[in-house]
Amino acid sequence: MASKIAIAVLVLVVALGAFVATRPDHFRIERNAHVAAPPATVFALINDLHRFDTWNPFRSEPAPGVTNVFDGPNEGPGASFSYAGGESGAGRMTIVESQPGARVVLKLEFFKPFEATNQATFTLTPENGGTRVSWAMEGENTLMGKAMSLVVNMDTMIGKEFERGLANLDATARGITPPSSASAQSDAATPAPAL
């Protein structure tokens, strides 16, 4: 009897592993919103990592044991921000491409609690006296990411944070201090069309 149960469990584990392996190797999450400010104003808030944190939905209040370090130039390619400690884990983001008023590309490196390297791209397009901002993140789906996708919808989870960040970006660009709580406005952002 015990051997039949062991065989059944083994078959289930192998089947689950095979199913996980069929999940997509690449992921992309994207949201966009209209920001009521010209592209040059919006660009300055994204291209300077010191100012990035004024609207970043992932920012955290200073806490004991958490270190934040800015490195490289103040803005543009080579500007870098590292964090370590607390519930955030450890990671670094570095601007790798910067086209004034149009585009900023960041390399995102996560070290703890899991390792991953992704890319975030901000694309700015003039629209109705303001700017259409697209925020996309993409990368390779690790085995852990594929397994997590079975129980957590990453597009929904991360997408909500992007929506909140875009609402914060709009408020900051208009000179309003964005709320820091998780209940920040997200209705200003709309999902990007499916690709």
Side-chain angles (χ1 to χ4, degrees), residues 129-143:
T131 308
R132 172 62 51 181
V133 180
S134 168
W135 183 358
M137 182 174 75
E138 58 190 314
E140 296 306 311
N141 236 349
T142 63
L143 183 60

Side-chain angles (χ1 to χ4, degrees), residues 116-128:
T117 301
N118 300 321
Q119 177 177 292
T121 304
F122 293 88
T123 306
L124 313 178
T125 309
E127 178 185 82
N128 299 329

Side-chain angles (χ1 to χ4, degrees), residues 2-154:
S3 63
K4 288 182 180 181
I5 292 173
I7 290 171
V9 168
L10 180 62
V11 168
L12 285 173
V13 168
V14 170
L16 181 61
F19 181 69
V20 166
T22 67
R23 307 299 294 162
D25 292 329
H26 186 84
F27 75 90
R28 180 178 174 87
I29 299 166
E30 182 176 358
R31 297 293 186 274
N32 67 75
H34 181 268
V35 174
T41 300
V42 178
F43 177 79
L45 291 169
I46 299 170
N47 193 52
D48 180 342
L49 295 183
H50 295 86
R51 297 179 76 189
F52 190 97
D53 211 36
T54 62
W55 59 268
N56 176 13
F58 300 104
R59 71 184 186 270
S60 58
E61 300 303 321
V66 176
T67 45
N68 297 323
V69 177
F70 291 95
D71 197 18
N74 287 335
E75 59 187 44
S80 179
F81 171 76
S82 300
Y83 61 91
E87 295 179 10
S88 303
R92 175 176 52 232
M93 65 180 182
T94 306
I95 297 177
V96 295
E97 182 184 332
S98 180
Q99 298 173 11
R103 179 177 159 99
V104 176
V105 179
L106 297 137
K107 178 180 181 181
L108 307 174
E109 298 170 281
F110 303 98
F111 307 124
K112 291 180 182 178
F114 57 88
E115 290 188 24
T117 301
N118 300 321
Q119 177 177 292
T121 304
F122 293 88
T123 306
L124 313 178
T125 309
E127 178 185 82
N128 299 329
T131 308
R132 172 62 51 181
V133 180
S134 168
W135 183 358
M137 182 174 75
E138 58 190 314
E140 296 306 311
N141 236 349
T142 63
L143 183 60
M144 177 66 82
K146 291 179 180 187
M148 284 180 57
S149 73
L150 298 178
V151 293
V152 177
N153 185 326
M154 295 303 285

